[in-house]
């Protein structure tokens, strides 16, 4: 289907259905919303937290073509998101993993409350399929203690439906620019003691740049059993087959003049990231009234084929167990939990022969363990006041046994080890001024251990230390009349921040521990609903990240994340028919290097989403992006000096990823 025909048919559908706006039933506002109370319960838990939290419901992003977490979290305050290519995005909270030019670090990712981070704490968000979620929970910083997270950034938990919250059949189909096609079929059933839900999605696209084709097939399902009046259990299963070509980063001039092109070296090496993974999980709950105990286990088996500077071929096996006890008695309540994750990786690298394996260059066995024990006590001296004290102890172990290194004498065994342990306390206060207005403050410590990417740079183990920080936060959230808000101010003083810099075009980044760095900023969201058919959403993020009296960089700003980012949306209409223009505005770009010698330019991206009901169970949606075709820098891989010419290519560094190009997507949703 041509895009012009798609846009015209959607517009004609809007024109032909004006009566639907008058007939809209407030209790049946969208087919996406079910009888689920999952997100309502999540809102209650979030509002009991003395710090920055956010619950994103499916209807908040239902009109988007859901390619990545950027599409679901765009209006979550404090979450910095920038596209790289396809489903690969930069995701950072409070500067977490700030300089990591690929994948993700400094955040705990979970699905249905069960971690998907590997045992060395590195994360792969491509294995989270946002089209499956009922809602997402974002707990920033130490507020993620309830998820067993002690990182600077916090945690993001994607929650899928169950057979009880989403009975029946749901289908969705998307089509759009760059030969993009996406499809979803899900079904849920429930009886008195058994329920089940399952979904399968498929995705294919040529991407908005050369050499960025992608395809995926994903499955996720769960089965719940009520064993007794106090015991229930739920089993989860996921399968991912993801193939993604990598276009590579460009020079600044290339990104601003011809953003659809790919790096010549990535084309020559047929760079890609292909994943096959299976996740099996269980959570069993014991509900004793005032006390609730959750216990569970998980197994993640993954195969990665990753032609880049060399062909990386890895087989990994991660497994773990967890437990969490919640208890409430009078003015006291407490949480006690723990988690133990183990992982092993069989890692090989080969000479890259246009994407195929050449001669073996490196082989190693890698083993990791991360163990955490956390607790929190909440005391309510009076109804409106909560005092919170807690902490998390984390212990980690990393080991690499190199069996073969072509560039260090061939077959010889070299073993590297690293051990870490940290305790991070937390103190908080929550004051409920009215049933709809809260004020909060907290002071906490965080700790992040390096993973294999930081420790095993190219081949040999390097002495990289843990990153720690003390963070203070104050804020408020609430609703008054037409306005609802969520505002947090934070300041993190960091020791040993894990920073990376790109060495060369075809060499992965090196990591070092900075001495003292500062991350401080504002995370703000404001929604206004003056009329039933008018909603204005806004998020603003101020990020002041810098070195502090560094011997080499002084008080220079840290690269990659700009100081100001604003997103706004005006939604006109009802669920029967609506249109929502939106803007993403970055008044000034970020620095590209630690020397602060190059700063990218700011930009404004304009887009629009729309939706219209055909029947009570079928609706259409439209998602148009970058309507003006703006050319700008989206994401950056940090370097020491962005003005230094590469000795081999004779060019300035290729470290820039352009923003998404102009695109239009549309589709249909139906529930039966």
């Amino acid at each position: 289907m041509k895009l012009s025909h798609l846009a015209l048919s959607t517009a004609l559908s809007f024109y032909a259905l004006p009566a639907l706006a008058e007939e809209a039933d407030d209790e049946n506002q969208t087919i996406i919303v079910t009888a689920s109370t999952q997100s309502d319960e999540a809102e209650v838990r979030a509002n009991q937290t003395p710090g920055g939290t956010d619950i994103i419901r499916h209807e908040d992003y239902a009109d988007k073509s859901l390619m990545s977490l950027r599409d679901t979290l765009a209006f979550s305050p404090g979450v910095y998101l920038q596209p790289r290519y396809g489903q690969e995005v930069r995701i950072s909270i409070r500067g977490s993993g700030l300089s990591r030019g690929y994948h993700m670090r400094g955040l705990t990712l979970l699905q249905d409350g069960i971690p998907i981070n590997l045992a060395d704490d590195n994360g792969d968000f491509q294995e989270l399929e946002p089209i499956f979620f009922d809602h997402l929970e974002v707990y920033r910083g130490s507020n993620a203690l309830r998820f067993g997270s002690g990182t600077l950034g916090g945690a993001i938990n994607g929650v899928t439906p169950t057979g009880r919250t989403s009975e029946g059949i749901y289908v969705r189909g998307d089509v759009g620019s760059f030969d993009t096609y996406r499809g979803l079929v899900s079904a849920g059933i429930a009886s008195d003691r058994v329920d089940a839900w399952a979904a399968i999605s498929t995705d294919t696209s040529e991407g908005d740049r050369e050499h960025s084709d992608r395809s995926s097939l994903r499955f996720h399902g769960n089965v719940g059993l009520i064993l007794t009046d106090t015991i229930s259990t739920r089993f989860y299963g996921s399968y991912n087959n993801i193939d993604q070509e990598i276009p590579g980063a460009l020079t600044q001039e290339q990104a601003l003049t011809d953003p659809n092109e790919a790096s010549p070296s990535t084309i020559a090496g047929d760079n890609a990231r292909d994943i096959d993974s299976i996740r099996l999980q269980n959570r069993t709950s014991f509900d004793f009234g005032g006390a609730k105990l959750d216990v569970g286990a998980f197994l993640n088996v993954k195969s990665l084929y990753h032609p880049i500077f060399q062909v990386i071929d890895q087989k990994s096996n991660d497994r773990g167990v967890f437990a969490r006890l919640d208890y409430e008695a009078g003015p006291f309540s407490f949480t006690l939990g723990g988690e133990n994750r183990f992982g092993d990786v069989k890692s090989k690298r080969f000479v890259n022969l246009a994407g195929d394996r050449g001669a073996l260059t490196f082989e190693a066995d890698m083993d990791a363990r991360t163990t955490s024990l956390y607790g929190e006590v909440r005391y309510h001296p009076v109804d409106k006041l909560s005092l919170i004290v807690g902490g998390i102890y984390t212990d980690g172990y990393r080991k690499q046994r190199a069996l073969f290194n072509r560039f260090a004498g061939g077959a010889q065994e070299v073993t590297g080890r690293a051990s870490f342990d940290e305790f991070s306390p937390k103190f908080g206060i929550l004051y409920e001024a009215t049933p709809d207005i809260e004020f909060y403050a907290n002071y906490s410590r965080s700790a992040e251990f390096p993973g294999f990417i930081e420790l095993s740079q190219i081949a040999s183990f390097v002495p990289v230390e843990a990153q720690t920080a003390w963070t203070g936060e104050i804020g408020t959230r609430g609703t008054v009349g037409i306005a609802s808000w969520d505002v947090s101010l934070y300041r993190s003083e960091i020791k040993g921040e894990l920073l990376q810099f790109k060495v060369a075009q075809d060499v992965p980044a090196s990591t070092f521990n900075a001495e003292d760095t500062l991350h401080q900023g504002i995370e703000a969201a404001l929604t206004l609903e003056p009329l039933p058919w008018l909603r204005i959403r806004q998020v603003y993020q101020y990020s002041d990240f810098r070195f502090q009296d560094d011997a080499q960089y002084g008080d220079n700003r840290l690269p990659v994340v700009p100081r100001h980012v604003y997103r706004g949306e005006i939604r006109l209409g009802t669920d029967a028919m609506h249109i929502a223009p939106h803007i993403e505005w970055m008044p000034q770009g970020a620095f590209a290097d630690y020397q602060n010698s190059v700063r990218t330019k700011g930009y404004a991206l304009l887009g629009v989403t729309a939706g219209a009901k055909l029947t009570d169970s079928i609706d259409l949606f439209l998602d148009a992006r970058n309507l003006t075709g703006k050319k700008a820098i989206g994401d950056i891989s940090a370097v020491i000096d962005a003005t230094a010419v590469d000795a081999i290519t004779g060019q300035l560094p290729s470290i820039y990823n352009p923003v998404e190009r102009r695109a239009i997507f549309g589709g249909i949703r139906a529930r039966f």
Side-chain angles (χ1 to χ4, degrees):
M1 178 185 295
K2 291 184 178 180
L3 293 179
S4 58
H5 293 169
L6 175 65
L8 178 60
S9 63
T10 305
L12 288 175
S13 299
F14 291 170
Y15 181 77
L17 295 168
L20 287 176
E22 299 177 2
E23 297 173 2
D25 181 352
D26 288 342
E27 295 183 359
N28 187 28
Q29 292 184 340
T30 173
I31 63 166
I32 299 301
V33 177
T34 69
S36 171
T37 60
Q38 285 178 297
S39 54
D40 296 328
E41 294 170 355
E43 288 274 10
V44 172
R45 290 192 298 269
N47 290 337
Q48 295 172 347
T49 303
T53 63
D54 188 30
I55 306 300
I56 304 97
R57 300 169 184 255
H58 187 279
E59 56 265 33
D60 292 336
Y61 54 82
D63 291 335
K64 300 287 288 183
S65 185
L66 302 175
M67 290 180 285
S68 69
L69 289 176
R70 174 175 164 82
D71 299 314
T72 63
L73 299 173
F75 282 90
S76 182
V79 183
Y80 180 73
L81 294 146
Q82 285 296 330
R84 288 174 177 149
Y85 55 86
Q87 294 179 320
E88 172 83 11
V89 298
R90 174 180 295 279
I91 180 168
S92 176
I93 298 176
R94 299 181 178 177
S96 61
L98 174 142
S99 63
R100 174 71 75 80
Y102 46 88
H103 311 320
M104 182 214 73
R105 186 180 58 74
L107 285 172
T108 300
L109 291 183
L110 309 99
Q111 184 162 297
D112 298 306
I114 301 170
I116 70 166
N117 287 48
L118 301 179
D120 70 343
D121 242 0
N122 277 299
D124 234 346
F125 48 80
Q126 290 95 337
E127 294 176 74
L128 286 177
E129 170 59 287
I131 204 171
F132 288 162
F133 296 149
D134 174 86
H135 65 277
L136 294 98
E137 302 172 289
V138 179
Y139 282 68
R140 304 189 295 273
S142 66
N143 305 299
L145 182 69
R146 67 177 303 272
F147 289 112
S149 172
T151 63
L152 178 69
I156 298 174
N157 180 35
V159 181
T160 58
T162 68
R164 299 193 183 283
T165 65
S166 188
E167 287 192 79
I169 297 174
Y170 174 63
V171 297
R172 170 177 170 144
D174 301 26
V175 62
S177 299
F178 318 117
D179 285 335
T180 298
Y181 301 93
R182 286 176 62 79
L184 167 74
V185 178
S186 69
I189 57 173
S191 65
D192 289 344
R193 290 195 173 271
V194 181
D195 72 271
W197 178 87
I200 188 168
S201 73
T202 183
D203 169 59
T204 180
S205 177
E206 292 184 356
D208 67 345
R209 295 176 59 191
E210 295 178 25
H211 203 265
S212 62
D213 289 13
R214 70 173 191 271
S215 64
S216 69
L217 178 67
R218 306 167 188 261
F219 168 84
H220 181 71
N222 61 76
V223 177
L225 306 172
I226 299 176
L227 303 177
T228 70
D229 291 342
T230 59
I231 304 174
S232 62
T233 189
R234 188 167 297 275
F235 296 90
Y236 303 86
S238 296
Y239 169 74
N240 294 281
N241 173 258
I242 306 168
D243 293 338
Q244 171 73 69
E245 291 182 341
I246 299 176
L250 304 173
T251 66
Q252 188 172 31
E253 181 181 1
Q254 290 169 335
L256 295 176
T257 57
D258 193 8
N260 66 316
E261 71 174 286
S263 167
S265 64
T266 63
I267 296 175
D270 196 16
N271 290 8
R273 182 171 174 79
D274 300 338
I275 297 172
D276 284 289
S277 68
I278 295 175
R279 294 201 308 271
L280 302 175
Q281 305 163 339
N282 172 262
R283 178 187 297 275
T284 300
S285 299
F286 303 83
D287 193 341
F288 305 110
K292 182 179 179 181
L293 173 66
D294 286 342
V295 297
F298 53 88
L299 170 67
N300 303 337
V301 180
K302 177 178 174 180
S303 171
L304 171 66
Y305 187 77
H306 194 16
I308 44 174
F309 75 109
Q310 295 177 21
V311 175
I312 297 174
D313 191 346
Q314 293 183 343
K315 305 290 189 295
S316 61
N317 185 319
D318 284 78
R319 60 272 182 205
V321 293
F322 63 90
R324 173 187 169 93
L325 174 66
D326 290 291
Y327 179 75
E328 184 171 353
F332 288 95
S333 61
F334 73 81
T335 296
L336 180 64
E339 175 184 288
N340 210 354
R341 285 179 283 149
F342 302 88
D344 56 73
V345 182
K346 302 291 186 181
S347 179
K348 294 181 179 181
R349 293 206 301 267
F350 303 85
V351 172
N352 184 350
L353 301 178
D356 293 327
R357 301 178 185 89
L360 180 69
T361 62
F362 182 75
E363 181 179 4
D365 291 338
M366 301 175 175
D367 298 290
R369 175 184 54 78
T370 300
T371 303
S372 63
L373 179 66
Y374 59 93
E376 182 177 270
V377 178
R378 298 170 291 276
Y379 173 54
H380 309 278
V382 295
D383 288 342
K384 294 186 176 183
L385 183 65
S386 299
L387 305 177
I388 298 98
V389 61
I392 179 169
Y393 171 78
T394 308
D395 175 80
Y397 176 73
R398 317 282 187 255
K399 176 183 175 182
Q400 175 181 279
R401 187 164 62 96
L403 306 174
F404 178 84
N405 187 347
R406 178 181 177 183
F407 304 105
Q412 54 179 316
E413 185 173 319
V414 179
T415 300
R417 296 181 179 86
S419 298
F420 310 93
D421 65 278
E422 298 284 349
F423 176 70
S424 300
K426 171 187 175 180
F427 310 92
I429 182 170
L430 178 67
Y431 176 67
E432 186 179 327
T434 74
D436 297 317
I437 301 175
E438 293 181 335
F439 296 91
Y440 55 78
N442 65 69
Y443 188 61
S444 63
R445 189 176 188 267
S446 63
E448 296 177 21
F449 301 157
F452 286 122
I453 289 177
E454 288 79 24
L455 291 166
S456 178
Q457 298 178 26
I458 306 299
S460 302
F461 246 52
V462 294
V464 180
E465 302 297 328
Q467 169 186 310
T468 62
W470 282 98
T471 300
E473 177 185 7
I474 60 172
T476 176
R477 55 179 167 250
T479 301
V480 173
I482 67 170
S484 59
W485 68 90
D486 184 341
V487 180
S488 297
L489 289 78
Y490 68 91
R491 179 184 173 94
S492 299
E493 297 185 346
I494 305 174
K495 296 283 188 182
E497 181 170 3
L498 294 166
L499 296 177
Q500 289 185 310
F501 61 94
K502 192 166 184 176
V503 179
Q505 176 64 27
D506 296 323
V507 179
S510 291
T511 302
F512 65 95
N513 288 110
E515 293 185 6
D516 296 331
T517 53
L518 173 68
H519 291 200
Q520 59 185 357
I522 301 171
E523 305 160 335
L526 174 64
T527 299
L528 303 173
E529 299 186 71
L531 297 166
W533 51 267
L534 175 61
R535 182 189 70 186
I536 303 170
R537 285 198 296 174
Q538 303 170 90
V539 292
Y540 167 70
Q541 187 172 344
Y542 172 71
S543 303
D544 179 15
F545 304 155
R546 61 176 68 239
F547 292 100
Q548 289 189 300
D549 297 323
D550 187 82
Q552 184 173 358
Y553 302 112
D555 293 329
N556 282 4
R557 291 190 179 277
L558 293 169
V560 177
V561 177
R563 281 191 294 175
H564 307 279
V565 178
Y566 170 85
R567 291 187 179 93
E569 176 192 80
I570 301 176
R571 187 179 189 269
L572 304 167
T574 67
D575 288 297
M577 183 171 62
H578 58 268
I579 185 169
H582 56 83
I583 184 173
E584 177 182 313
W585 180 37
M586 188 185 298
Q588 185 180 54
F591 282 110
D593 56 4
Y594 297 106
Q595 299 283 15
N596 288 182
S597 60
V598 174
R599 170 180 270 164
T600 60
K601 295 181 180 179
Y603 61 83
L605 301 181
L606 302 178
V608 63
T609 59
K613 276 185 174 295
L614 294 179
T615 70
D616 286 343
S617 59
I618 301 175
D619 66 358
L620 302 176
F621 64 93
L622 181 73
D623 178 8
R625 308 180 179 199
N626 195 0
L627 293 174
T628 64
K630 180 68 175 178
K631 297 177 180 179
I633 303 298
D635 189 45
I636 306 167
S637 296
V639 291
I640 297 294
D641 183 358
T643 65
V645 175
D646 188 281
I648 298 176
T649 65
Q651 291 185 323
L652 291 171
S654 296
I655 57 173
Y656 304 96
N657 287 291
V659 298
E660 294 174 298
R661 293 169 57 203
R662 182 192 290 120
I664 302 177
F665 306 96
I668 187 169
R669 301 182 292 251
R671 184 175 293 281
F672 306 100

